[in-house]
Amino acid sequence: MAVKFIDDIDVSGKTVFVRADFNVPLDDSGSITNDNRIKATIPTLKHILDNGGAIIAASHLGRPKGKRVPEMSLAPVAKRLGELLGKEIQFVDDCISDEAIEKGKALKPGEVLLLENLRFYGEETKNDEAFARKLGAAADVFISDAFAVSHRAHASVEAITRVVPVCAAGFLMKKEIQNFENAMNDPRRPLVAVVGGAKVSGKLEVLENLVQKVDAVLIGGGMAFTFLKAQGKEVGKSLVEEDLIGTAKTVLQKAADKGIKFVLPNDCVVAAELKGGIPTQTVSIDAIPADSMGLDIGPQSVEAFAGIISDARTIVWNGPMGVFEVDEFSKGTFEVADLIAKSDAMSVVGGGDSVSALKQSGNQDKVTFVSTAGGAFMELMEGKTLPGIAALDS
Ligand code: AMP
């Protein structure tokens, strides 16, 4: 894929429409409780300003579903953005009004205009071209820095690229694309995928794509039990998707045909039910009591995974190894996070739960790259082409 990046283009004297992800959490008083998403786009915005461009910034916030919802206004973002950039931000209470377009056209180099929530219009999520034409009316250049919505064919993500003459990815988007490309499409081998989480059904397409690309897949979490059942093991009350046992067998067969390692846990931590403060036991995978459920991988599994992780030169991780939200069942996930953090491999972590497990284990800064988006990252793992990235392909 030949995506153009912001540092490949000239923004001097240009008005640059930046699709950002300013979908920040707000408290009841309208204050931003976490501004990481705003901070993540600052390098892109600074680059444009430092190189003589003007900025029209736009984002969605929440799910107003095509209606004007005052609690989902981007006005608090304008204030915070001004503090972070150290300059006044113009804010307009609409994204396609005549006033918004006029203000965009009047921008001088170094100035920033923030538009109101894109999703106050239903046309945004419908990828409406007439709407995109108004959004882009004052822009010479379109920069997408909203990786988190790049799996959505929305007007400010896809249709706008058909109406603004020059389009490219911002620095945040560039990092996401390049790290994923390096890990999955041009990896140093062995490439090892660590996959966990609750169910096989949520990760089927991911697994099918992975067995085509990786050298080893390490499986943990609830999903392991459907595979173990497919191998004829008794798994007690563990999470099993009976209707997917056949599919699990097919995935195992594909992995075998490809000659890749597909490693399932060989022991697990079990309990009578999923709650904290109850007795637990570590058992071999062949000895799960009929009245117990597997809620974490055990120490022997961690050791087996450790051997493969330490040989890996590239690691991709998505999904916890157990119910890491409950102390008793968190050890396997945190130990695997430690192993990934300690390895010399290039490591990419994505998906909401794995990222929070990584943070909780204190390893956030010890991996090569942490993806900022759950849904878009998963679709890349599924081998899909994301409309918001394809649209930047030159
Ligand atoms: P996912 O969103 O599919 O990545 O699943 C994440 C969830 O899977 C987390 O909330 C974990 O608590 C849950 N999970 C992990 N291991 C198990 C398990 N052995 N049994 C039930 N749930 C699990």
Side-chain angles (χ1 to χ4, degrees), residues 12-36:
S12 165
K14 305 274 171 30
T15 297
V16 184
F17 186 103
V18 179
R19 176 42 161 120
D21 174 20
F22 293 151
N23 183 24
V24 290
L26 300 172
D27 66 16
D28 291 344
S29 67
S31 299
I32 297 166
T33 54
N34 182 331
D35 63 1
N36 283 348

Side-chain angles (χ1 to χ4, degrees), residues 306-341:
I308 295 169
I309 289 173
S310 68
D311 287 342
R313 295 179 76 197
T314 308
I315 304 167
V316 180
W317 178 30
N318 171 270
M321 300 290 99
V323 183
F324 75 104
E325 300 92 333
V326 177
D327 263 1
E328 286 86 342
F329 313 115
S330 63
K331 206 168 170 206
T333 301
F334 293 153
E335 286 184 353
V336 166
D338 288 344
L339 291 171
I340 295 173

